[in-house]
Amino acid sequence: METFDELLSLWCTAEARGATDVLDRLLDEDFLGDGPGCSLLDKRSWLARHSDGVYVVERFDWQILEAREHQHTAIGIGVQSQVARYRGMDWSGDFLCTVVAISRQDRWTIVNVQLHRQPETVPAIPSARAGSPAHRPGTRQPARSVHRAR
C-alpha cells in the first residue's frame, strides 16, 4: 500500500469479509487491537477471531472523521458500524475507531486498532487543523461499506 487511505480501504474490506490472508499482510507484526470485553489482541489472535468463526460479520461500515499523517505514522479516526456476532452474542453497534499505521520502505501496515462503543449519535470530533476544508470539525468523508454475503 502506497497510501494510508489505500490501507484503510483494504482493511475495511478485509474485516468485512473475514479475509485473514489480506489482514495478515495489512497488520504489522507488532499489531495490538482492542477485542471484545476489553481484551487486547495481538496479530495472531486478531486473525484467529475470523478464521475460527468466533467473530462473524454481516455488515461492516467505516466512516472516517479525520486522518493525519506525520512522517512515517498515520492516524485515522472514524466510526465503525457493524452487524456482527462474537462467540454467538450480538456484537453489533457503532464504535469510535482509531487506526494507527506506520510506513516502512513505502509500505503501510496497521500497528493498532482501538475501539470504543458509541451511543446512538457520535459528536463531531474537533480538529487541530480547523482551517483545512478536509479537516473541519464534523466534516466526514463518505462511508466505506462492505456487506458480507451469507
Side-chain angles (χ1 to χ4, degrees):
M1 285 60 54
E2 293 183 17
T3 70
F4 181 52
D5 191 54
E6 288 173 339
L7 176 70
L8 289 175
S9 181
L10 289 170
W11 169 73
C12 178
T13 301
E15 282 291 337
R17 295 184 177 148
T20 56
D21 57 330
V22 176
L23 288 169
D24 188 40
R25 292 191 310 270
L26 301 179
L27 303 181
D28 195 81
E29 291 305 313
D30 292 329
F31 172 84
L32 288 174
D34 291 349
C38 299
S39 60
L40 193 57
L41 306 176
D42 62 10
K43 181 178 179 175
R44 183 182 54 78
S45 299
W46 190 271
L47 296 174
R49 75 199 214 310
H50 282 293
S51 61
D52 60 13
V54 167
Y55 177 62
V56 178
V57 179
E58 287 184 32
R59 192 190 85 230
F60 184 98
D61 302 318
W62 163 259
Q63 184 175 29
I64 193 161
L65 300 175
E66 183 168 358
R68 294 180 176 210
E69 291 183 36
H70 181 70
Q71 295 179 349
H72 301 291
T73 304
I75 300 171
I77 300 170
V79 177
Q80 173 184 319
S81 298
Q82 67 183 27
V83 175
R85 297 193 73 68
Y86 182 78
R87 297 196 187 280
M89 297 183 313
D90 184 32
W91 201 248
S92 303
D94 296 329
F95 300 82
L96 185 60
C97 180
T98 302
V99 177
V100 181
I102 58 172
S103 176
R104 292 186 197 139
Q105 301 167 348
D106 296 324
R107 182 176 176 270
W108 287 98
T109 58
I110 297 172
V111 293
N112 182 252
V113 174
Q114 296 176 5
L115 299 167
H116 178 73
R117 189 178 289 274
Q118 290 298 292
E120 294 271 333
T121 60
V122 178
I125 297 175
S127 171
R129 293 186 273 172
S132 170
H135 294 91
R136 283 196 187 115
T139 301
R140 296 182 181 192
Q141 296 179 4
R144 293 184 180 102
S145 178
V146 181
H147 302 277
R148 175 181 258 181
R150 292 182 189 210

